[in-house]
């Protein structure tokens, strides 16, 4: 089964800068998710996206975060003004159904904010 | 989003040993329980998705059981091999993940 492709694999940015993380899932999966893992901590849910709309978001997903699917293919996570504590591994995932089908994860983008 | 807890946090076993670990989750509003295996430098890989109380699933030497009434699931590995070394994650309501169990299998 095709993998979810995430780009870039590693992004280094300065505090206060905007970053855009990209994910290319296969087209017949309806549900998309962003998760992150800060080093040494648990995987944290950020947001789920269905039918071109946010369906659920966590308290982490504040106003500095946004998601969109600008061209019906790429699924992007934008962080408007990065903070040091945004440094983490960010995973995109997709699934056919909401909860009773498995998540298929991309290989992740390691974001380092300096 | 409610808490999903996994235990133990880490586990060291010898090759050939059988082992198991636990995922506990809020039993109210249960929909599905997911198990994933996460090897270093890779992305999490789905093992099982379980939805029914009493469900038992098996994939090779790995199996899992589910008790939705009391809110726990067990993952079993029979005859552990070094290649089983990974972090095992479970996820439930709202796809909230537990902190994982790090399994190390020593040759």
């Amino acid at each position: 089964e095709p993998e979810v492709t995430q780009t870039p694999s590693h992004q280094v940015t300065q505090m206060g800068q905007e970053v855009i993380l990209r994910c290319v899932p296969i087209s017949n999966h309806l549900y998309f998710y962003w998760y992150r893992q800060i080093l040494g901590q648990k995987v944290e849910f950020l947001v789920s996206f269905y039918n071109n709309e946010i369906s659920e978001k966590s308290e982490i997903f504040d106003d500095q975060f946004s998601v969109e699917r600008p061209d019906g293919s790429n699924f992007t996570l934008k962080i408007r003004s990065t903070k040091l504590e945004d440094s983490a591994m960010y995973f995109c995932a997709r699934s056919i159904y909401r909860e009773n089908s498995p998540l298929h994860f991309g290989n992740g983008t390691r974001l380092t904010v300096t | 989003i409610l808490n999903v807890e996994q235990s133990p946090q880490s586990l060291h076993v010898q090759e050939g040993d059988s082992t198991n670990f636990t995922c506990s989750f809020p039993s109210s509003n249960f929909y599905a329980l997911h198990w994933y295996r996460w090897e270093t430098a890779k992305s999490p890989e789905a093992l099982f998705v379980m939805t029914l109380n009493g469900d038992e699933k098996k994939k090779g030497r790995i199996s899992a059981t589910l008790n939705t009434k009391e809110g726990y699931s067990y993952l079993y590995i029979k005859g552990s091999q070094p290649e089983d070394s990974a972090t095992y994650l479970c996820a439930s309501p709202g796809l909230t993940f537990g902190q994982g169990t790090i399994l190390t299998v020593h040759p």
Side-chain angles (χ1 to χ4, degrees), chain A residues 3 33 35 37 41-45 56-59 89 91 95 98-108, chain B residues 1 3-5 31-34 36 38 41-46 49 51 89 92-99:
Chain A
E3 290 182 359
Y33 312 82
Y35 287 86
Q37 192 209 23
Q41 299 184 25
K42 65 195 300 186
V43 173
E44 299 175 298
F45 168 75
E56 193 175 353
K57 61 182 181 180
S58 71
E59 60 272 16
M89 194 74 164
F91 288 101
S95 66
R98 172 67 179 94
E99 287 194 35
N100 61 354
S101 63
L103 296 176
H104 297 274
F105 286 86
N107 283 334
Chain B
I1 295 178
N3 276 336
V4 175
E5 302 288 339
Y31 197 84
L33 188 284
H34 294 217
Y36 294 86
W38 191 7
K42 296 185 179 179
S43 53
E45 172 196 356
V49 175
T51 56
L89 299 168
S92 192
L95 296 178
T96 302
F97 280 81
Q99 73 274 35

Side-chain angles (χ1 to χ4, degrees), chain A residues 7 15 23-24 31-32 38 42 46 58 66 76-77 82 86 95 98 102 104-105 110:
Chain A
T7 58
M15 195 167 56
C23 171
V24 183
Y31 294 89
F32 308 110
I38 296 170
K42 65 195 300 186
L46 293 177
S58 71
S66 62
T76 64
L77 175 71
T82 51
D86 293 326
S95 66
R98 172 67 179 94
H104 297 274
F105 286 86
R110 178 162 297 285

